[in-house]
Amino acid sequence: MVAKLSVKKNLSSLQVLKTLLVMLQDNYTMQEIVDKLNSLEPAPIFNNSVVSKYINTCRYAGFEIPKIHNRYFVTNMPFGFELSFDDISVLEFMQSIVRQDLGSKYNKYFDSFLEKIGRFSNKKITRIEKETYQVTVELFELAISEKRKIRLLFKNKSIQDCIPIAIVENKNKTYFHVVYKNKEKMVDANRLSGIQLLSEKFAKNYNDQVVIFELKSPLAERYKLRENERLMKSFDGHSITVSNHGESKEILFSRLLRYDDKCEIINPKLYREEMKQILTSALSNYGEV
């Protein structure tokens, strides 16, 4: 005769697990979590206050659950599995085959599969605020070194998947220099609520643009080279020629425009023409063209 083991159920523990199970399905608002939990019960027993306590219990147990855009993200779990570079490469290869050879129906199936893998792996996402600034910087730099895309979560609730280039400090402000839809842009950190490291990799290095410009006297005599600049032609009594490597176009243009007619971009021609257009537009606003 086999003795039956008595099992005492801890109701609060079960409710915590139910809450976690719902949050692992998607990134929900508090009200959505409450509604989904109550839909599984004979009568509504969950509310905002109770669910908030259960979420904090999960956090105490080692789960990282930031609230971004009023939605709760399960971003790291004590038992979440890590994806190695080889794992990610295999998944990317499989995805490329599905994209190329299969129809939209199977593309959706595979995307759903990848989403489920992502939810149970140790995703990296951080809320952008003063207390977590260094974590944000490290996450962005990690994305650059591993050539992985990032997801920017804006305070206006929009989301953009970008290629990271650099973090730029300018005029006491922090900017994320990224490529979005094949165009470089500077994103003010104050516009963001969060940043997420994605598994998708990028191949091209966008931070390799070389800009050559000429500075004329008297500016040429006192100009100090930046860390990313080299002197191509020394001062000859009239001018110097400088090569600038990898600086953000927006930041570089902002600086060179201050030099007025003492500065001229030589290469690339696209930058040269763009600078001309900016100057022409500025002059026309004052009726000088």
Side-chain angles (χ1 to χ4, degrees), residues 16-17 19-27 55 57-66 72-83 114-125:
V16 169
L17 292 175
T19 303
L20 178 61
L21 183 60
V22 167
M23 289 192 297
L24 286 173
Q25 294 172 6
D26 207 339
N27 307 318
I55 292 175
T57 299
C58 291
R59 288 169 172 159
Y60 182 78
F63 291 82
E64 293 181 16
I65 310 175
Y72 292 86
F73 291 72
V74 179
T75 63
N76 202 351
M77 299 185 292
F79 50 81
F81 61 85
E82 292 284 354
L83 292 175
L114 292 180
E115 177 68 18
K116 289 177 181 177
I117 287 180
R119 293 200 170 277
F120 289 93
S121 65
N122 283 329
K123 297 179 293 183
K124 291 181 172 64
I125 182 172

Side-chain angles (χ1 to χ4, degrees), residues 49 73 113 146 216:
S49 177
F73 291 72
F113 165 68
E146 295 185 354
K216 300 175 183 177

Side-chain angles (χ1 to χ4, degrees), residues 16-17 37 47 102 106 115 173 182 199 206 216 248 264:
V16 169
L17 292 175
L37 287 168
N47 56 48
L102 300 179
Y106 294 100
E115 177 68 18
K173 283 190 173 184
N182 295 321
S199 59
Y206 284 85
K216 300 175 183 177
S248 160
E264 180 181 358

Side-chain angles (χ1 to χ4, degrees), residues 260 275-289:
D260 199 31
M275 181 68 88
K276 283 183 179 179
Q277 291 177 9
I278 293 173
L279 291 171
T280 300
S281 176
L283 291 172
S284 65
N285 289 334
Y286 292 93
E288 298 184 21
V289 177

Side-chain angles (χ1 to χ4, degrees), residues 90-151:
V90 170
L91 290 172
E92 289 175 343
F93 177 69
M94 293 170 64
Q95 186 179 43
S96 66
I97 293 176
V98 172
R99 291 277 189 271
Q100 181 178 344
D101 299 333
L102 300 179
S104 59
K105 175 182 176 181
Y106 294 100
N107 271 264
K108 290 180 180 179
Y109 286 157
F110 194 79
D111 287 345
S112 176
F113 165 68
L114 292 180
E115 177 68 18
K116 289 177 181 177
I117 287 180
R119 293 200 170 277
F120 289 93
S121 65
N122 283 329
K123 297 179 293 183
K124 291 181 172 64
I125 182 172
T126 180
R127 185 180 178 88
I128 296 178
E129 49 194 13
K130 290 182 179 179
E131 292 77 9
T132 60
Y133 175 74
Q134 188 56 40
V135 176
T136 302
V137 170
E138 292 173 358
L139 188 62
F140 194 91
E141 291 176 345
L142 177 65
I144 295 173
S145 65
E146 295 185 354
K147 295 189 181 299
R148 291 167 64 179
K149 289 187 178 181
I150 57 169
R151 176 166 293 158

